[in-house]
Coordinates of all heavy atoms in Angstrom, one line a residue:
E1 N 37.0 202.0 -148.7 CA 37.3 203.4 -149.1 C 36.5 203.7 -150.4 O 36.8 203.1 -151.4 CB 38.8 203.6 -149.2 CG 39.1 205.1 -149.4 CD 40.7 205.4 -149.5 OE1 41.2 205.3 -150.7 OE2 41.3 205.6 -148.4
I2 N 35.6 204.6 -150.3 CA 34.8 205.0 -151.5 C 34.8 206.4 -151.8 O 35.3 207.3 -150.9 CB 33.4 204.6 -151.3 CG1 32.7 205.4 -150.1 CG2 33.3 203.1 -151.1 CD1 31.2 205.2 -150.0
E3 N 34.5 206.9 -153.0 CA 34.3 208.2 -153.3 C 32.8 208.6 -153.3 O 32.0 207.9 -153.6 CB 34.8 208.5 -154.8 CG 36.3 208.5 -154.9 CD 36.8 209.1 -156.2 OE1 36.0 209.4 -157.1 OE2 38.0 209.5 -156.1
Q4 N 32.6 209.8 -152.5 CA 31.2 210.2 -152.3 C 31.1 211.8 -152.6 O 31.8 212.5 -152.2 CB 30.9 210.0 -150.8 CG 29.5 210.2 -150.4 CD 29.2 209.9 -149.0 OE1 29.7 210.7 -148.1 NE2 28.5 208.8 -148.6
V5 N 30.0 211.9 -153.4 CA 29.7 213.4 -153.7 C 28.7 214.0 -152.6 O 27.6 213.4 -152.4 CB 29.0 213.5 -155.0 CG1 28.7 215.0 -155.3 CG2 30.0 213.0 -156.1
P6 N 29.2 215.0 -151.9 CA 28.3 215.5 -150.8 C 27.0 216.0 -151.4 O 26.9 216.6 -152.6 CB 29.1 216.8 -150.2 CG 30.5 216.5 -150.7 CD 30.4 215.7 -152.0
P7 N 26.0 216.1 -150.6 CA 24.7 216.6 -151.1 C 24.8 218.1 -151.3 O 25.6 218.7 -150.6 CB 23.7 216.2 -150.0 CG 24.5 216.1 -148.8 CD 25.8 215.5 -149.3
M8 N 23.9 218.7 -152.2 CA 24.0 220.1 -152.4 C 23.5 220.9 -151.1 O 24.0 221.9 -150.8 CB 22.9 220.5 -153.6 CG 23.1 222.0 -154.0 SD 24.8 222.3 -154.7 CE 24.8 224.1 -154.4
V9 N 22.6 220.2 -150.5 CA 22.1 221.0 -149.3 C 23.0 220.5 -148.1 O 22.8 219.4 -147.4 CB 20.6 220.6 -148.9 CG1 20.3 221.3 -147.6 CG2 19.8 221.1 -150.0
S10 N 24.2 221.1 -148.0 CA 25.1 220.8 -146.9 C 25.9 222.1 -146.5 O 25.7 223.1 -147.1 CB 26.1 219.8 -147.4 OG 27.0 220.3 -148.3
A11 N 26.7 221.9 -145.3 CA 27.2 223.1 -144.8 C 28.7 223.3 -145.4 O 29.3 224.3 -145.1 CB 27.5 222.9 -143.3
L12 N 29.1 222.5 -146.4 CA 30.4 222.7 -147.1 C 30.3 224.0 -147.9 O 29.3 224.5 -148.3 CB 30.6 221.5 -148.0 CG 30.8 220.2 -147.4 CD1 31.0 219.2 -148.5 CD2 32.0 220.2 -146.5
K13 N 31.4 224.6 -148.0 CA 31.5 225.8 -148.7 C 32.0 225.8 -150.1 O 32.8 225.0 -150.6 CB 32.5 226.8 -148.0 CG 32.0 227.3 -146.7 CD 32.9 228.4 -146.1 CE 32.3 228.9 -144.8 NZ 33.2 230.0 -144.2
F14 N 31.5 226.7 -151.0 CA 31.9 226.8 -152.4 C 32.2 228.3 -152.6 O 31.2 229.1 -152.6 CB 30.8 226.2 -153.4 CG 31.1 226.4 -154.8 CD1 31.9 225.5 -155.4 CD2 30.5 227.4 -155.6 CE1 32.2 225.6 -156.8 CE2 30.8 227.6 -156.9 CZ 31.6 226.6 -157.5
R15 N 33.4 228.6 -152.9 CA 33.8 229.9 -153.0 C 33.3 230.8 -152.0 O 32.8 232.0 -152.2 CB 33.4 230.4 -154.4 CG 34.0 229.6 -155.6 CD 33.5 230.1 -156.9 NE 34.1 229.3 -158.1 CZ 33.8 229.6 -159.3 NH1 32.8 230.3 -159.7 NH2 34.4 228.8 -160.2
G16 N 33.5 230.5 -150.7 CA 33.1 231.1 -149.6 C 31.6 231.2 -149.2 O 31.3 231.8 -148.2
E17 N 30.9 230.5 -150.0 CA 29.4 230.5 -149.6 C 29.0 229.1 -149.2 O 29.4 228.0 -149.9 CB 28.6 231.0 -150.7 CG 27.3 231.6 -150.3 CD 26.6 232.4 -151.3 OE1 27.2 232.7 -152.4 OE2 25.3 232.8 -151.2
R18 N 28.1 228.8 -148.2 CA 27.6 227.5 -147.8 C 26.8 226.9 -149.1 O 26.1 227.8 -149.7 CB 26.8 227.6 -146.6 CG 27.5 228.1 -145.3 CD 28.4 227.1 -144.7 NE 29.0 227.7 -143.5 CZ 30.0 227.0 -143.0 NH1 30.4 225.8 -143.4 NH2 30.5 227.5 -141.8
L19 N 27.0 225.6 -149.2 CA 26.2 225.0 -150.3 C 24.7 225.1 -150.1 O 24.0 225.4 -151.0 CB 26.6 223.5 -150.4 CG 27.9 223.2 -151.1 CD1 28.2 221.7 -151.0 CD2 28.1 223.8 -152.5
Y20 N 24.2 225.0 -148.8 CA 22.8 225.1 -148.6 C 22.2 226.5 -148.9 O 21.1 226.8 -149.4 CB 22.4 224.6 -147.2 CG 22.9 225.5 -146.1 CD1 22.4 226.7 -145.7 CD2 24.0 225.1 -145.2 CE1 22.9 227.6 -144.7 CE2 24.5 225.8 -144.2 CZ 23.9 227.1 -144.0 OH 24.4 227.9 -142.9
E21 N 23.1 227.5 -148.8 CA 22.7 229.0 -149.2 C 22.6 229.0 -150.7 O 21.5 229.6 -151.1 CB 23.8 229.9 -148.6 CG 23.8 230.0 -147.1 CD 24.9 230.9 -146.6 OE1 25.9 231.1 -147.5 OE2 25.0 231.2 -145.5
L22 N 23.4 228.4 -151.3 CA 23.3 228.4 -152.8 C 22.1 227.5 -153.2 O 21.4 228.0 -154.2 CB 24.5 227.7 -153.5 CG 25.9 228.6 -153.3 CD1 27.0 227.8 -153.8 CD2 25.8 229.9 -153.9
A23 N 21.9 226.4 -152.6 CA 20.6 225.7 -152.9 C 19.3 226.4 -152.6 O 18.4 226.3 -153.4 CB 20.7 224.4 -152.1
R24 N 19.3 227.2 -151.6 CA 18.1 228.2 -151.4 C 17.8 229.0 -152.5 O 16.7 229.5 -152.8 CB 18.2 228.9 -150.1 CG 18.2 228.0 -148.8 CD 18.6 228.8 -147.6 NE 18.5 228.0 -146.4 CZ 19.1 228.3 -145.2 NH1 19.6 229.4 -145.1 NH2 19.0 227.5 -144.2
K25 N 18.9 229.5 -153.3 CA 18.8 230.5 -154.3 C 18.5 229.6 -155.7 O 18.5 230.3 -156.7 CB 20.2 231.3 -154.5 CG 20.5 232.0 -153.3 CD 21.9 232.7 -153.6 CE 22.3 233.5 -152.3 NZ 23.7 234.0 -152.5
G26 N 18.3 228.4 -155.6 CA 17.9 227.5 -156.7 C 19.2 227.1 -157.6 O 19.0 226.8 -158.8
M27 N 20.5 227.3 -157.0 CA 21.6 227.0 -157.7 C 22.1 225.7 -157.4 O 21.9 225.2 -156.2 CB 22.7 228.1 -157.4 CG 22.3 229.5 -157.7 SD 23.6 230.8 -157.1 CE 25.1 230.3 -157.8
E28 N 22.7 225.0 -158.4 CA 23.5 223.8 -158.0 C 24.9 223.9 -158.7 O 24.9 224.3 -159.8 CB 22.7 222.6 -158.7 CG 23.3 221.3 -158.4 CD 22.6 220.1 -158.6 OE1 21.2 220.2 -158.9 OE2 22.9 218.9 -158.4
V29 N 25.9 223.5 -157.9 CA 27.2 223.7 -158.4 C 27.9 222.3 -158.5 O 27.4 221.3 -157.7 CB 27.9 224.6 -157.6 CG1 27.4 226.0 -157.6 CG2 28.2 224.2 -156.1
E30 N 29.0 222.1 -159.2 CA 29.7 220.9 -159.1 C 30.4 220.6 -157.9 O 31.1 221.5 -157.4 CB 30.6 221.0 -160.3 CG 31.3 219.5 -160.7 CD 30.4 218.7 -161.4 OE1 29.5 219.3 -162.1 OE2 30.7 217.5 -161.4
R31 N 30.1 219.5 -157.2 CA 30.9 219.2 -155.9 C 31.8 218.1 -156.2 O 31.5 217.0 -156.7 CB 29.9 218.8 -154.9 CG 29.1 219.9 -154.3 CD 27.6 220.0 -154.8 NE 26.8 218.7 -154.6 CZ 25.9 218.3 -155.4 NH1 25.4 219.0 -156.5 NH2 25.2 217.3 -155.0
P32 N 33.1 218.3 -155.8 CA 34.1 217.2 -156.1 C 33.8 216.1 -155.1 O 33.4 216.2 -153.9 CB 35.5 217.9 -155.7 CG 35.2 219.1 -154.9 CD 33.8 219.6 -155.4
A33 N 34.0 214.9 -155.6 CA 33.9 213.7 -154.8 C 34.9 213.7 -153.7 O 36.0 214.1 -153.9 CB 34.0 212.3 -155.6
R34 N 34.6 213.2 -152.5 CA 35.6 213.2 -151.3 C 35.7 211.6 -151.0 O 34.8 210.9 -151.2 CB 34.9 213.9 -150.2 CG 34.7 215.3 -150.5 CD 34.5 216.2 -149.3 NE 33.7 215.6 -148.3 CZ 33.4 216.2 -147.1 NH1 34.1 217.3 -146.8 NH2 32.5 215.7 -146.2
R35 N 36.9 211.2 -150.6 CA 37.2 209.9 -150.3 C 36.9 209.8 -148.7 O 37.4 210.4 -147.9 CB 38.6 209.6 -150.4 CG 39.0 209.7 -152.0 CD 40.3 208.9 -152.3 NE 40.1 207.4 -152.2 CZ 39.5 206.6 -153.2 NH1 39.1 207.2 -154.4 NH2 39.4 205.4 -153.1
V36 N 35.9 208.8 -148.4 CA 35.6 208.4 -147.1 C 35.7 207.0 -147.0 O 35.8 206.2 -147.9 CB 34.2 209.0 -146.8 CG1 34.1 210.5 -146.8 CG2 33.2 208.2 -147.7
T37 N 35.5 206.4 -145.7 CA 35.6 205.0 -145.4 C 34.4 204.6 -144.7 O 34.0 205.1 -143.8 CB 36.9 204.7 -144.6 OG1 38.1 205.1 -145.3 CG2 37.0 203.1 -144.4
V38 N 33.8 203.5 -145.3 CA 32.7 202.8 -144.6 C 33.2 201.6 -144.1 O 33.5 200.8 -145.0 CB 31.6 202.8 -145.5 CG1 30.3 202.0 -144.9 CG2 30.9 204.1 -146.1
Y39 N 33.1 201.3 -142.7 CA 33.7 200.0 -142.2 C 32.7 199.0 -142.3 O 33.1 197.8 -142.3 CB 34.2 200.4 -140.8 CG 35.0 201.4 -140.7 CD1 34.7 202.7 -140.1 CD2 36.3 201.4 -141.2 CE1 35.7 203.7 -139.9 CE2 37.3 202.4 -141.1 CZ 37.0 203.6 -140.5 OH 37.9 204.6 -140.4
G40 N 31.4 199.3 -142.2 CA 30.5 198.2 -142.3 C 29.1 198.8 -142.3 O 28.7 199.8 -142.0
I41 N 28.2 198.0 -143.0 CA 26.8 198.2 -143.0 C 26.0 197.0 -142.7 O 26.2 195.9 -143.2 CB 26.3 198.7 -144.4 CG1 27.2 199.9 -145.0 CG2 24.9 199.0 -144.5 CD1 26.9 200.2 -146.4
E42 N 24.9 197.1 -141.7 CA 24.2 196.0 -141.3 C 22.8 196.3 -141.3 O 22.4 197.4 -140.8 CB 24.7 195.5 -140.0 CG 26.1 194.9 -139.9 CD 26.5 194.3 -138.6 OE1 25.6 194.4 -137.6 OE2 27.5 193.9 -138.4
T43 N 21.9 195.4 -141.8 CA 20.5 195.6 -141.7 C 19.9 195.3 -140.3 O 20.2 194.4 -139.7 CB 19.8 194.7 -142.7 OG1 20.2 194.9 -144.0 CG2 18.2 194.8 -142.6
A44 N 19.1 196.4 -139.8 CA 18.5 196.3 -138.5 C 17.0 195.9 -138.7 O 16.4 195.3 -137.9 CB 18.6 197.6 -137.7

């Protein structure tokens, strides 16, 4: 279980607007970290 900050260019919303729409305007906003779980990583 790790904390991960979503990329600015993503479909998540900030105050009703998609982050990628804000990014297109040259804006960057603070994105709260989200808890996700990575079960495994293997080199291919």
Side-chain angles (χ1 to χ4, degrees):
E1 191 175 86
I2 63 172
E3 287 199 341
Q4 188 180 70
V5 177
M8 187 65 205
V9 181
S10 68
L12 295 177
K13 287 188 175 181
F14 177 81
R15 296 178 181 174
E17 207 167 351
R18 301 286 185 187
L19 286 177
Y20 65 76
E21 293 172 344
L22 297 175
R24 286 173 184 165
K25 298 174 184 177
M27 300 171 59
E28 182 164 356
V29 297
E30 192 77 18
R31 286 101 62 203
R34 306 196 308 176
R35 297 198 73 82
V36 298
T37 302
V38 177
Y39 304 110
I41 307 174
E42 293 185 0
T43 299

